[in-house]
Amino acid sequence: MNRFFKSLSTVFFIVALTGLLWSCEDTEIQNQPTEDQPDAVMELEHSSKEQLKRAFATSLAKSVAESKSLRQLIKEQSLRKFDNDYDILYELVKNEPVEDGRTLQQLLEQNLASAFDLSLIEKELPTLTIFVPSLPNDAFSAEVWDVDAQIPLVGYNVKSSNHVPIIRNDGSGYVLEDYLIPTYPVIVVKENERVVVSDQIGARGTSSRISASSSFQSEDGVQFNFLDDCFNAALNGEREQARQSETAIDPKLIAAYDVFEGTTGWQRDHVYYGLTPTSDRGPFSYDFQEHITSFRMLGGSGWERGVRAYNKIADQTGDPRIGIRYRYGYPETYGSWTDGIFEFKVIALVNGKNGVGAQFITYFPAPPRDLFRIRISTPQGEDYNTVRLRNLRVKRLYVNLPLVKWDLDQYASSIKIEVEEVDRTETITTTDTRVVKFAQNFGFDLGFGEKVKIGLKFGADLEQTQTSSVTKAYSLANDKLGSVIMNFADNCVRKNYNDTYSAGTRYSTGWFELDLAPKRVQ
């Protein structure tokens, strides 16, 4: 995967607070690695864009050493968290004055190698971003950064390896091994995963629920969009995911359970159409919408499954695989930490009765602390300016993610849900074709004055089975976690042993499980 230090921003802050962070022995945090490491950066294979990224990172490393004002600017801008992470979109700040009347752009140009053109870098990498991670033991973060004393190095990533190139302030570089996490100041150059240039919206799978206010423009006229409103701090800040309450089940769902208890009736018939065994006609209600209410990563069985699950979403598809290896009897990942707040893309493929299907795209952010219980330690006999991942346990994340309002008069009786962990990449359009069932029992009713569902389930006319296709876009480098099929006939509420009710049906595949339920939206 292509985002090295981003996970550190959230993980280690929570780890420190909860006491999960532990080490083999106390170590002194220093501003630079202690070992004299050779300039091995260019031994890693670089694509043409990665060479541009390295040139930018090298210029930035020299510039932050030269200018305290630049360090202050990066700190202040990262604390704004414009995309709900400690990211700074270079295009938005490049004209900011930083030193002796020079702008950030001018300072970088002055320190840029003569073989490179900053305007070309800006053109080829329009979402170029500077990220400030939160490193273990309070070694470094946007909040604690002492701009007078701490001059950070600059890291970036390459697709050819999970090792991480680090640029020193004199422009030389070294490679940080893939399983090590720095505890000295370092900032990161990357491409933003939450923002897209507006003319690429169709190629990046922008959310179906994005608002007009999620579009913004730089001083130089470059137009951007957030992939989803949940990443726009100006709209919602760091929106807390609503937790599913076991004691606040909507009365309509309780009624859906009660009226069909002991029968084979469909609970959603009551939720969406008000039907009961004795009242079999009703119009569609727009009061409810299907939601994902919880999400959890899976990784097989055994105590290593948390590591496997992490490796799945922290690995760049098509790049060298990261896996599990044992050190001192413990399983660990030897792949890069790549994301402070993971971004998950959910695609609901809905087949239409008119033969034209649709994909509903939405996203949700997931801090690693909410997906995993984390333990890290200081490597024995190794560089004490680094730490490494020890092991992981999966956790359930409670979300409140709306999907579709499920009207059987328009849509098939089953919906396919696909989940991807998002990487910066282009997308490809393809077609998903399935054999699906459509309900036929709809007609105009004078009493209601509108079209209604006539009869429970598929009615007396039964269902119509047909092949239907949906055009969808998938990302080349996203980590595809699989898909599940939810059916209109699946129960959406259950009764517990203590006579309380719980909403949702749990669906699972090899890499994740999620709960789906209709929730009131008006």
Side-chain angles (χ1 to χ4, degrees):
M1 191 172 171
N2 55 9
R3 293 158 294 169
F4 174 67
F5 289 107
K6 199 175 168 190
S7 66
L8 303 175
S9 67
T10 305
V11 174
F12 293 113
F13 175 70
I14 297 301
V15 167
L17 287 180
T18 58
L20 293 177
L21 179 63
W22 62 282
S23 62
C24 297
E25 56 183 280
D26 293 333
T27 63
E28 179 182 359
I29 303 302
Q30 302 180 14
N31 280 2
Q32 303 283 347
T34 58
E35 296 183 4
D36 184 18
Q37 296 165 298
D39 187 350
V41 169
M42 289 312 294
E43 293 180 7
L44 300 177
E45 181 182 344
H46 285 60
S47 68
S48 58
K49 284 190 176 182
E50 288 164 353
Q51 290 175 10
L52 297 177
K53 193 187 301 181
R54 179 185 189 270
F56 184 92
T58 302
S59 176
L60 181 62
K62 294 177 181 179
S63 298
V64 295
E66 172 185 330
S67 174
K68 173 186 171 182
S69 297
L70 174 55
R71 299 194 294 273
Q72 187 67 38
L73 173 69
I74 294 174
K75 174 176 179 173
E76 291 175 353
Q77 290 290 333
S78 67
L79 287 171
R80 293 184 179 183
K81 302 173 73 171
F82 88 102
D83 62 356
N84 285 332
D85 211 344
Y86 295 95
D87 288 334
I88 307 161
L89 192 63
Y90 165 73
E91 180 65 28
L92 297 183
V93 299
K94 68 180 185 181
N95 295 321
E96 292 288 327
V98 290
E99 194 75 29
D100 299 329
R102 291 173 296 171
T103 64
L104 171 57
Q105 184 185 53
Q106 291 168 339
L107 185 59
L108 291 173
E109 283 179 328
Q110 177 179 308
N111 287 314
L112 191 68
S114 58
F116 294 92
D117 181 354
L118 187 55
S119 62
L120 176 63
I121 295 175
E122 294 171 356
K123 178 182 178 181
E124 293 297 317
L125 302 170
T127 63
L128 198 62
T129 294
I130 302 168
F131 171 66
V132 181
S134 297
L135 300 177
N137 303 335
D138 287 330
F140 185 68
S141 70
E143 285 84 359
V144 304
W145 187 355
D146 181 351
V147 296
D148 289 310
Q150 291 182 308
I151 300 175
L153 309 185
V154 179
Y156 66 100
N157 58 337
V158 293
K159 292 182 179 181
S160 62
S161 174
N162 288 313
H163 298 319
V164 181
I166 304 289
I167 306 298
R168 298 185 182 95
N169 302 122
D170 64 1
S172 64
Y174 64 94
V175 175
L176 189 69
E177 289 188 73
D178 50 16
Y179 69 93
L180 295 176
I181 303 163
T183 54
Y184 45 84
V186 60
I187 58 179
V188 180
V189 171
K190 65 187 187 71
E191 292 177 72
N192 200 294
E193 307 87 11
R194 301 178 172 202
V195 167
V196 61
V197 178
S198 295
D199 62 6
Q200 298 175 359
I201 288 177
R204 285 290 305 275
T206 308
S207 172
S208 302
R209 58 176 182 156
I210 196 167
S211 64
S213 57
S214 278
S215 175
F216 60 97
Q217 183 174 288
S218 71
E219 288 184 3
D220 291 348
V222 181
Q223 193 77 24
F224 297 94
N225 273 81
F226 289 99
L227 282 182
D228 189 279
D229 284 348
C230 70
F231 301 133
N232 185 355
L235 282 181
N236 47 30
E238 287 190 276
R239 184 175 57 187
E240 289 291 330
Q241 300 293 343
R243 292 188 174 274
Q244 179 78 357
S245 172
E246 295 295 331
T247 60
I249 304 300
D250 192 280
K252 187 81 169 189
L253 295 183
I254 295 175
Y257 179 91
D258 291 342
V259 298
F260 291 119
E261 184 175 12
T263 75
T264 59
W266 296 350
Q267 293 174 356
R268 284 183 173 85
D269 264 348
H270 184 73
V271 173
Y272 285 109
Y273 300 99
L275 306 187
T276 70
T278 59
S279 177
D280 63 353
R281 290 183 178 225
F284 179 75
S285 170
Y286 290 89
D287 293 346
F288 286 83
Q289 187 173 4
E290 297 296 324
H291 283 68
I292 294 177
T293 58
S294 80
F295 175 84
R296 184 168 74 128
M297 290 293 302
L298 300 176
S301 60
W303 73 314
E304 302 132 323
R305 68 179 183 176
V307 179
R308 293 193 189 97
Y310 170 75
N311 287 342
K312 177 62 178 177
I313 59 175
D315 181 32
Q316 177 69 41
T317 303
D319 289 351
R321 289 287 176 178
I322 56 179
I324 298 171
R325 66 183 173 195
Y326 286 83
R327 283 178 172 261
Y328 314 115
Y330 292 93
E332 68 176 11
T333 166
Y334 55 93
S336 301
W337 281 88
T338 55
D339 199 355
I341 301 178
F342 289 115
E343 298 90 21
F344 287 90
K345 178 180 180 181
V346 177
I347 307 170
L349 300 174
V350 184
N351 297 89
K353 184 179 291 186
N354 61 0
V356 179
Q359 62 169 344
F360 293 87
I361 298 174
T362 188
Y363 294 79
F364 67 92
R369 70 175 186 267
D370 291 342
L371 293 174
F372 303 101
R373 293 180 176 89
I374 302 158
R375 299 183 78 184
I376 62 174
S377 69
T378 302
Q380 292 184 354
E382 299 180 33
D383 179 8
Y384 285 137
N385 288 298
T386 62
V387 294
R388 62 182 174 83
L389 181 67
R390 193 65 144 183
N391 64 51
L392 299 165
R393 305 278 184 171
V394 295
K395 293 170 60 177
R396 184 169 302 281
L397 172 68
Y398 292 91
V399 297
N400 186 33
L401 191 69
L403 298 178
V404 297
K405 296 181 178 180
W406 204 343
D407 185 1
L408 286 184
D409 188 38
Q410 299 183 49
Y411 303 133
S413 62
S414 63
I415 296 175
K416 185 177 182 180
I417 307 293
E418 297 181 348
V419 179
E420 300 176 357
E421 194 280 322
V422 177
D423 284 318
R424 176 197 53 79
T425 183
E426 72 276 14
T427 57
I428 288 180
T429 299
T430 186
T431 300
D432 182 90
T433 301
R434 294 191 294 137
V435 176
V436 292
K437 294 180 180 181
F438 295 93
Q440 303 300 304
N441 49 328
F442 288 86
F444 186 83
D445 185 280
L446 289 175
F448 286 99
E450 59 183 309
K451 184 181 283 191
V452 300
K453 188 171 189 287
I454 304 170
L456 302 175
K457 299 184 178 181
F458 286 117
D461 295 332
L462 300 179
E463 74 275 6
Q464 178 185 8
T465 300
Q466 66 184 62
T467 300
S468 180
S469 298
V470 177
T471 300
K472 66 173 183 176
Y474 72 91
S475 300
L476 286 176
N478 281 6
D479 294 304
K480 299 170 185 62
L481 303 181
S483 62
V484 296
I485 302 293
M486 60 180 298
N487 297 290
F488 194 89
D490 295 338
N491 288 339
C492 56
V493 62
R494 60 190 183 275
K495 195 171 186 178
N496 303 317
Y497 70 92
N498 57 354
D499 290 331
T500 60
Y501 296 85
S502 298
T505 299
R506 185 157 294 170
Y507 302 85
S508 64
T509 184
W511 288 110
F512 70 87
E513 65 181 17
L514 51 80
D515 289 326
L516 289 155
K519 297 188 69 174
R520 187 179 294 274
V521 292
Q522 63 181 29

